[in-house]
Amino acid sequence: MPSGSIDEGSADPPKAAPVDATPVPAEGGRQDPARKGVPFDGLTEDWRLVGSIDLEGRLLDILNRREAIPIGDMTWSTLDALEDLQPAPGLQKVDPYDLIVVLAGDRTLPALDDAEKAALRVHKVPYDVVVEVPPYRVVGTVFLYPGSEPERLMDRSSDLFFPVTNAVVLAAGARLGDGEVDVVLVNRSYLRGVEQVDEFVLASARERPRVPPAS
């Protein structure tokens, strides 16, 4: 597992933190003021981290800077009890290298008008895929330039994370997250396989039961 660091705080802090996904406006686009208290939900090899982050721009871009990310109001759980979140007040920063996937919703993205949203996917081709990032599996859609096959996501890249849209995260056969999360940011460092699939596989993944709250 890539090495990373977490600010000292709790006696036994998690190894990773959450992020946010989705394409971003081109350079030189409209500048948005920082959005306060944006939800933050990330998964590492051992932990689920949920809290808030102040964002200016896209979370995807912030993750790809490969710098520690300040977080607040953090709670965390083990993978055995993902819904049983406990306070983690000592956790103040997360290293992007420790994150395997980050679940993202609309609030993690800057405000875009319809023209800007369309421009993000210009000249790109959608592929429905299953992405293997053990212990997780991400099912959704990636947008690639013509001539690029989904398997090329396995190649080395300057970007640490890439977005999967209309996405579902599966762990031990159950679905994580909620209906508002439809973009997942995936860390290439943990990528072990990419398979192109049909729409039936996506629909089946969305019908999986959610991880139930711990009793």
Side-chain angles (χ1 to χ4, degrees):
M1 164 179 173
S3 60
S5 61
I6 295 180
D7 263 21
E8 58 280 344
S10 55
D12 188 12
K15 295 181 180 177
V19 176
D20 155 344
T22 354
V24 179
E27 292 254 348
R30 180 179 68 228
Q31 297 297 312
D32 291 280
R35 284 115 56 217
K36 305 291 186 180
V38 175
F40 180 83
D41 192 341
L43 299 165
T44 73
E45 284 186 327
D46 302 303
W47 310 95
R48 179 188 182 194
L49 303 177
V50 176
S52 64
I53 180 173
D54 293 343
L55 281 181
E56 184 172 354
R58 296 187 307 171
L59 182 51
L60 178 60
D61 292 335
I62 292 173
L63 289 174
N64 280 331
R65 292 174 193 161
R66 306 176 186 233
E67 300 172 354
I69 302 170
I71 52 179
D73 305 319
M74 286 303 300
T75 58
W76 61 299
S77 72
T78 64
L79 298 189
D80 293 331
L82 287 169
E83 300 293 328
D84 186 20
L85 295 165
Q86 301 296 324
L91 183 57
Q92 299 174 354
K93 291 185 180 180
V94 174
D95 190 329
Y97 285 98
D98 289 330
L99 296 168
I100 297 179
V101 296
V102 175
L103 286 67
D106 290 343
R107 290 188 59 193
T108 60
L109 302 173
L112 302 176
D113 59 31
D114 290 341
E116 289 171 320
K117 290 178 181 177
L120 292 177
R121 291 174 181 171
V122 131
H123 304 313
K124 289 191 176 183
V125 179
Y127 294 92
D128 295 333
V129 296
V130 172
V131 177
E132 302 288 351
V133 277
Y136 311 106
R137 172 177 289 183
V138 179
V139 184
T141 304
V142 293
F143 287 81
L144 305 174
Y145 289 106
S148 294
E149 297 297 322
E151 292 77 12
R152 298 297 301 273
L153 291 169
M154 301 285 294
D155 296 347
R156 293 177 64 89
S157 171
S158 58
D159 290 334
L160 183 61
F161 285 82
F162 66 89
V164 180
T165 65
N166 302 315
V168 173
V169 180
L170 302 176
R175 177 169 52 92
L176 307 183
D178 56 40
E180 295 183 3
V181 173
D182 64 355
V183 177
V184 172
L185 303 177
V186 176
N187 188 333
R188 293 177 187 270
S189 300
Y190 296 88
L191 192 55
R192 296 296 177 266
V194 178
E195 178 185 0
Q196 189 172 350
V197 297
D198 58 30
E199 292 183 4
F200 174 79
V201 176
L202 270 67
S204 177
R206 295 191 185 101
E207 292 171 0
R208 296 284 184 92
R210 284 194 61 216
V211 172
S215 56

